[in-house]
Amino acid sequence: MRTVPGRTDHVVVVGAGLSGLSAALHLLGGGRRVTVVEREDGPGGRAGRTRLGGYLLDTGPTVLTMPHLADEAFAAVGDSLAARVELTPLHPAYRARFADGTALDVHTDADAMEQEVRAFAGAREAAGYRSLRTWLTSLYRAQMRRFIDTNFDSPLQLLHPDLARLAALRGFGRLDAQIGRHLADPRLRRVFSFQSLYAGVPPARALAAYAVIAYMDTVAGVYFPRGGMHALPAAMADAARAAGAEFRYGTGAAGLRTTAGRVTAVRLADGEEVPCDAVVLTPDLPVAYRLLGRRPRRPLRLRHAPSAVVLHAGSRRTWPGLGHHTISFGAAWKRTFDEITRTGRLMSDPSLLITRPTAHDPALAPPDRHLHYVLAPCPNTATGPSAAAWRDLGPRYRDSLVRELERRGLDGFDAATEEELLVTPADWTALGHAAGTPFSAAHTFAQTGPFRPANLVSGVENAVLAGCGTTPGVGVPTVLISGKLAAQRILGPGRGRRP
């Protein structure tokens, strides 16, 4: 594994999001002095927090899986996730509601889910669920250490017996077709394939290997941190500070001073320079490369994942049909993916993720109030409406979303809403996210594993990248891994892993 040469005693981490905090904790555990610079007033990055009236909103991810990956970062400094964050396992993990009026509770416990599937779709589909679960678990085991939790220096590293194992598991087939080998009911197939949207590829075109995301969601377990998702980065920052990290909030990186191909200081927005021996850059790729003063060397332009519109609504009531996480599927499926990934149109029959964090933490809202988070996938600004167009389109799309929610049983949603915040691709663009999407580069084959933008930067020997744009990719588990992988580039082989 290639590592940063020379002295690495003091590392500056740019960005206090999950990847930056993960890198900081692993670096501290490796004996490095760490300074974290963050443009916002506190930690979190995309997993941020904002206050809306008396409501506390998570501005980023709402689903936590694979918490042991966060625990690895805490363990690097002799701390633990359990000591700092109270996690509640969600049972069910999701509630799926379909256009035909049926509903399914999605359990991560095998026996509970088998019973649910049997009651929902019959004994044959229940047996198919069992075989699917076995396949998902095998797929995860074949990929995790060799293809996800690893630093690639060359595509030749793929030539390993685990590659043959992955091929034998049909990991290079198409996701939808491989799910269909186990399940015939189209509703159930959606439950185990919609996750490819986060990878930016429709299920009909996505590699079956991406079913590893469904493993995380439907087998490994879904959790909710008391205090909301922001409780995780807040706790990571506290642990890093206790281990000796210095945090500089409210002033982002404006540039880098380089000498003879090495970064020697990070220049802050207020003009101050922080000397360093190495730097970890976690902003989205265009921002990171702008700081470095160079462009990535790629034969093809990056393709970006779809974006999302998010409506945060503080309400005077809630609806009994909602779970903590509810996936409300429209009748359309292939057309929906075609619209948001190819034609650039808004979903004509949307599938939505509705999260109700106050189901498990009422303190996130005023007394007798409820918080709802509605995520509607949409085209990114390279495929669909521009960021400028969204400034006018946003309010109209908000109204159409609310009408659709009320049509699907959330009667009186608009009238019950007393506080709201609408986030569109225009807002993601303003935050520096390429193509107006928080999901970064899509996970096409040419942008996965050793073909994804590398975390080492050609021509700058002591700069390392972390975050969802680099390896291994998008999602809370993977960005936590990306921080660890960045730390390993600085610490050397075998470091940055839990003892």
Side-chain angles (χ1 to χ4, degrees), residues 167-488:
L169 290 167
R170 303 175 186 256
F172 298 107
R174 296 303 175 190
L175 175 62
D176 191 52
Q178 296 309 314
I179 298 289
R181 293 179 62 242
H182 303 272
L183 299 171
D185 190 301
R187 299 166 300 176
L188 292 174
R189 290 169 66 168
R190 292 185 185 190
V191 167
F192 292 96
S193 62
F194 80 90
Q195 296 88 352
S196 74
L197 177 63
Y198 303 133
V201 187
R205 297 206 309 268
L207 290 178
Y210 295 140
V212 70
I213 310 174
Y215 168 87
M216 296 176 184
D217 272 5
T218 65
V219 177
V222 176
Y223 299 81
F224 175 72
R226 181 167 293 278
M229 282 292 292
H230 181 70
L232 176 58
M236 294 175 74
D238 287 344
R241 188 180 297 104
E246 178 187 1
F247 283 82
R248 307 288 295 276
Y249 291 122
T251 177
L256 305 174
R257 177 156 53 87
T258 59
T259 304
R262 287 183 70 90
V263 177
T264 57
V266 175
R267 188 175 71 255
L268 304 183
D270 59 11
E272 180 187 356
E273 287 194 348
V274 181
C276 64
D277 300 311
V279 63
V280 176
L281 301 174
T282 72
D284 209 15
L285 291 178
V287 177
Y289 283 112
R290 187 164 64 247
L291 290 172
L292 290 162
R294 59 200 315 111
R295 293 182 177 180
R297 297 176 180 176
R298 291 186 63 84
L300 298 173
R301 290 182 60 186
L302 281 177
R303 281 184 53 194
H304 287 85
S307 185
V309 172
V310 178
L311 175 62
H312 300 270
S315 308
R316 288 182 288 271
R317 59 165 293 194
T318 190
W319 291 264
L322 294 178
H324 186 109
H325 296 297
T326 301
I327 309 165
S328 177
F329 289 106
W333 189 239
K334 291 182 179 179
R335 185 178 81 233
T336 293
F337 284 98
D338 193 54
E339 288 167 341
I340 61 178
T341 64
R342 193 179 67 81
T343 65
R345 298 177 180 175
L346 299 178
M347 292 182 292
S348 54
D349 184 13
S351 289
L352 308 170
L353 171 64
I354 306 165
T355 296
R356 186 167 56 107
T358 43
H360 284 89
D361 191 353
L364 296 172
D368 300 319
R369 295 295 190 268
H370 306 271
L371 188 55
H372 301 92
Y373 164 111
V374 182
L375 183 147
C378 70
N380 63 43
T381 57
T383 304
S386 67
W390 271 105
R391 295 188 180 96
D392 293 326
L393 176 60
R396 300 199 306 274
Y397 189 58
R398 176 265 178 205
D399 291 344
S400 69
L401 275 179
V402 169
R403 287 194 297 270
E404 187 64 24
L405 290 168
E406 294 187 338
R407 190 184 70 79
R408 295 186 186 185
L410 276 63
D411 54 292
F413 186 93
D414 199 18
T417 300
E418 60 181 12
E419 298 280 359
E420 70 175 66
L421 174 66
L422 183 72
V423 182
T424 75
D427 300 291
W428 305 125
T429 299
L431 290 172
H433 300 329
T437 173
F439 303 117
S440 195
H443 281 261
T444 60
F445 179 78
Q447 295 178 178
T448 297
F451 310 113
R452 198 164 180 81
N455 58 4
L456 286 180
V457 180
S458 177
V460 184
E461 64 182 21
N462 65 338
V464 188
L465 305 182
C468 58
T470 185
T471 185
V474 179
V476 171
T478 40
V479 298
L480 290 169
I481 292 172
S482 81
K484 179 176 70 172
L485 296 179
Q488 287 176 7

